[in-house]
Amino acid sequence: MRAMPLFLALIMSFGVVKNAHANEGYQTPSTDLAAVVDAKLAPSSYLSADGQWLALFDRKRIESLDDLAKEEFKLAGVKLNPANFSRSRARTKFTALTLKHIETGSVIEVNNLPAGILRSPKWSSDSQYLAFIVEQVDQANLWLYNTQTKQARQLSDVALNSVLTSSPYAWLPDSTAIVANAAVNITKPRLTTNTQNVVPVIQQSTGEKAPARTYQNLLTSPFDEQQFKFYGQGQLTYIPLSGIARPIGKPALFKSFSVSPDSTNLLVGGIDEPFSYQVPYNRFATTWQIWGMRGYALLELAKQPLADNIPQGYDSVRVGRRDFEWRADQGAEVIWAEAQDGGDMKTEVEHHDYLYSLRAPFKREPKLFAKVERRFAGIEWANDNVAMLSDWRFSDRQVRTFVIQPRNADRNRVLFSERSYNDAYKDPGRAIYERNDQGSSVIKVVGGRYIYLRGNGASDEGNVPFLDQYDIKTNTTKRLWQSKAPYYERIRAMLDDDGDRLITIRESKVEQPNFFIRDLSKNTLTQLTTFEHPYPAFKGVTKELVRYKRDDGVELSGTLYLPPGYDKTQGTLPVLMWAYPLEYKDKAVASQVRESPYEFTYIGYWGPMPYLAKGVAVFDDPKMPIVGVDGKEPNDLFRKQLVASAKAAVDVLVEKGIANKDKIAIAGHSYGAFMVANLLAHSDLFKTGIARSGAYNRTLTPFGFQGEERDFWQAQGVYGAMSPFFHAEKINEPMLMIHGQEDPNSGTFPMQSERMYAALKGLGKEARLVMLPYEAHGYKARKSLLHVLWEQEQWLDKYLLNDSDTQVKGE
């Protein structure tokens, strides 16, 4: 085998794979597949508070490999760009801005922006200004678009720091100014290291239990700590609309800051030393204070210690004061929670959390605001008479919401909703919000008694979005509107108090989502946008929601896509199945349908859809529920239920005459990759598998993973049974593995794929490992995405579409 150049260290392969060109660097798939990567999708939309302006941002979905290869530092769970003091891999990036007026339909293209990335758009509460960040090579700055002057301008030359706060600015609710986190060290010389300041790295435990999940990109040395302080340090800054900025208080490592609803105070969380090498920065010691707008500390709310010893469990929390927030419907009143169970939900107590409140001028003792029976999950505020308080519990996945009167939150509570948070059929929807007189965002309450709810409307027939009116006084709900076939239409905003005029997003199987104004009183529908179909080559794809049962009676479903022009008279098709297992505590909930048969058919480069162009049928998201029954935890039955779900999916496709049982491939990403390896090890249902960014040895995540709360020492048998690494000798089908070399995701370290590949190679199995330079858990670079599509295409050509069962083995 020819030696591989270091700069092309992309592919590690086992065996001579025919026509794969394993060592020739990045490849490009066939034309139809490649076109999917560059397809222009509908822009991201941001609606002004008054519902009159729609800001449309063109999405930057892919990066260049050069962008990913730029220098970045990995500190305390953050990847940062040292050149401009920003997160180096922000999820949402934009390239262009257009505004559309809802009533007149006028369109304004904003053309005077500098070269750079746009991100973090936020409307002012009065809807006159749209703020956003323009991120350039050496710094990021705030810009404003003024809907009255129709002009965009840079608000200030203050360079922003988003290292510890992904959105480093906040509007004052009164729309007069912005508070931003400035990068105070951006003009200072960068830190350097040498052998003179290198010291042994020493850690020592005290005997106290400190279970923690496995994390990447943590601090590893004293020099890392210096870098973290240098790049994380910010200066809160008051920037009025004039742009003349002034500092607020002193620089610090700001983890969080928020403005009070009356625009007079700040709630500030600043990180303290000592730091930790075991957990990311969001669990570092933090001091919480209330500041005046000049930066004077009015009150210290809490000094939270390092949270590296939170009890094991997904609903466990740190002890002491936590979850600080402003009460949105009041001028300046802060709310927080305190655990009454030592932070451990397994402790039997009457109330697991207490909520406390304190009003300006913050000189009295805190008031007990409410007692919470389970773990506090949050409050949605409306006014002094109405709020919605939620609590939850992981053991049975239950979440409850109560309508409360904030003046006396423990009296006359009304149970609004109680369900498993996995139970989509019982989801009552989300309250519609509005801006109150202070400019703060609160639940919209009409006539003192009506709340409006919009939801997905999950049902046996699929998602059917709705608008409901909830009567607080009678605790009853009235349906005002619901989407109708053959369209999938959902509420984006209400334009009046009666729920008659609505902004909706409407789509169908063949029509991309677009914005409409729906007038229920006049029974009219007016189209606002016209986004073109992004995948013309796939217009003939057909879509069907398929229902079937597992052998234990659990009802399952998946979405079947067939290539353009196919009908059953042509015979069976090769099938690519793409799935992701989930844990449940209830069989009925596990059986629920959570898609709409009328949603637009997105092809997308991420999943299985592009391979429809190869004449392959795609069975997307066939449900693979893992259900805890008879007192058992879901994972006690993982392998049995996983294989049973996969068999049911295969059987239904064969019974429908779509699939030949010997021509089905299984694929998945992350926990889906874990699923793939398990199915190949414990069944003979599939001809081949594709596993991306997966984990295969659960002993490398010993303090829990996915929905598993037990640690390795409590459930060694479960960890071993679920780990396909321990059963690699049973894998008899070829498996393609792909992984980003910079994957920071908890539990899916790149080593997981490397060790699994080494095991398969050592056992003489047929496998291929592709490690993508500079890529994280999801892949971003255009070259990487094209190559992934090519790798998968080549693999399917050889192992699924090739009629020959001959496989080439050996070095």
Side-chain angles (χ1 to χ4, degrees), residues 522-537:
K522 298 179 181 179
N523 196 28
T524 58
L525 187 66
T526 304
Q527 188 163 349
L528 293 174
T529 60
T530 307
F531 303 130
E532 298 298 326
H533 196 298
Y535 315 111

Side-chain angles (χ1 to χ4, degrees), residues 187-357:
T187 59
K188 295 180 181 179
R190 304 304 191 251
L191 304 179
T192 58
T193 185
N194 54 57
T195 56
Q196 298 303 310
N197 56 22
V198 172
V199 298
V201 177
I202 300 170
Q203 302 179 65
Q204 180 172 334
S205 64
T206 62
E208 181 182 22
K209 286 187 176 181
R213 300 192 71 169
T214 49
Y215 297 102
Q216 287 254 56
N217 304 328
L218 301 178
L219 299 178
T220 62
S221 68
F223 182 68
D224 275 0
E225 295 186 51
Q226 294 174 32
Q227 296 273 64
F228 177 71
K229 288 191 288 185
F230 181 84
Y231 289 102
Q233 188 179 59
Q235 170 68 65
L236 293 189
T237 305
Y238 181 91
I239 311 176
L241 296 179
S242 67
I244 303 173
R246 62 170 172 80
I248 305 174
K250 296 180 179 180
L253 297 173
F254 295 109
K255 180 169 71 174
S256 174
F257 63 93
S258 59
V259 185
S260 63
D262 63 3
S263 302
T264 61
N265 295 280
L266 291 168
L267 174 59
V268 177
I271 293 174
D272 300 324
E273 297 185 74
F275 304 140
S276 170
Y277 295 3
Q278 299 298 315
V279 294
Y281 79 92
N282 56 11
R283 293 174 66 171
F284 286 3
T286 304
T287 296
W288 290 90
Q289 295 178 321
I290 296 176
W291 290 6
M293 291 303 291
R294 290 283 178 179
Y296 298 108
L298 304 178
L299 177 70
E300 183 176 290
L301 289 165
K303 287 189 77 70
Q304 295 175 329
L306 175 68
D308 63 350
N309 60 350
I310 293 176
Q312 194 168 337
Y314 291 104
D315 47 15
S316 293
V317 295
R318 62 167 83 215
V319 297
R321 296 178 177 182
R322 70 175 204 282
D323 294 347
F324 299 95
E325 66 175 80
W326 291 112
R327 180 173 161 180
D329 65 315
Q330 295 295 309
E333 181 175 349
V334 67
I335 302 282
W336 67 87
E338 293 187 39
Q340 305 299 302
D341 53 12
D344 188 352
M345 275 287 284
K346 297 180 179 65
T347 302
E348 294 291 334
V349 293
E350 184 177 2
H351 296 94
H352 286 274
D353 275 329
Y354 281 177
L355 302 183
Y356 291 90
S357 67

Side-chain angles (χ1 to χ4, degrees), residues 358-378:
L358 185 63
R359 292 192 179 197
F362 315 112
K363 294 182 179 179
R364 297 183 178 181
E365 288 298 311
K367 172 186 174 184
L368 179 62
F369 178 81
K371 297 178 180 179
V372 184
E373 185 179 350
R374 300 174 184 174
R375 183 65 71 217
F376 173 59

Side-chain angles (χ1 to χ4, degrees), residues 16 133 154 188 201 206 218 225 373 408 427 458 498 776 788:
V16 178
I133 295 171
Q154 183 172 315
K188 295 180 181 179
V201 177
T206 62
L218 301 178
E225 295 186 51
E373 185 179 350
N408 193 336
D427 187 345
D498 298 322
V788 167

Side-chain angles (χ1 to χ4, degrees), residues 599-652:
E599 287 181 82
F600 177 68
T601 302
Y602 279 107
I603 302 302
Y605 52 70
W606 189 247
M609 301 297 286
Y611 300 98
L612 289 160
K614 305 282 295 182
V616 172
V618 167
F619 200 30
D620 190 36
D621 195 25
K623 298 301 181 287
M624 302 279 179
I626 312 300
V627 187
V629 295
D630 300 327
K632 292 181 179 292
E633 290 299 313
N635 284 338
D636 295 341
L637 306 164
F638 179 86
R639 275 169 40 184
K640 179 181 178 181
Q641 293 191 13
L642 182 68
V643 172
S645 295
K647 184 178 185 304
V650 168
D651 288 347
V652 73

Side-chain angles (χ1 to χ4, degrees), residues 565-620:
Y566 171 78
D567 65 64
K568 290 185 179 180
T569 63
Q570 298 172 338
T572 62
L573 291 172
V575 175
L576 175 58
M577 195 179 296
W578 193 287
Y580 191 97
L582 293 170
E583 301 95 347
Y584 297 89
K585 284 285 192 172
D586 185 296
K587 285 185 177 182
V589 172
S591 297
Q592 292 181 351
V593 180
R594 294 172 175 82
E595 303 86 19
S596 168
Y598 306 112
E599 287 181 82
F600 177 68
T601 302
Y602 279 107
I603 302 302
Y605 52 70
W606 189 247
M609 301 297 286
Y611 300 98
L612 289 160
K614 305 282 295 182
V616 172
V618 167
F619 200 30
D620 190 36

Side-chain angles (χ1 to χ4, degrees), residues 81 149 180 219 244 339 344 346 403 410 515 536 582 590 695 697 750 770 803:
N81 181 345
T149 65
L219 299 178
I244 303 173
D344 188 352
K346 297 180 179 65
V403 177
D410 284 334
F515 286 87
L582 293 170
N697 183 348
V770 180
D803 290 332

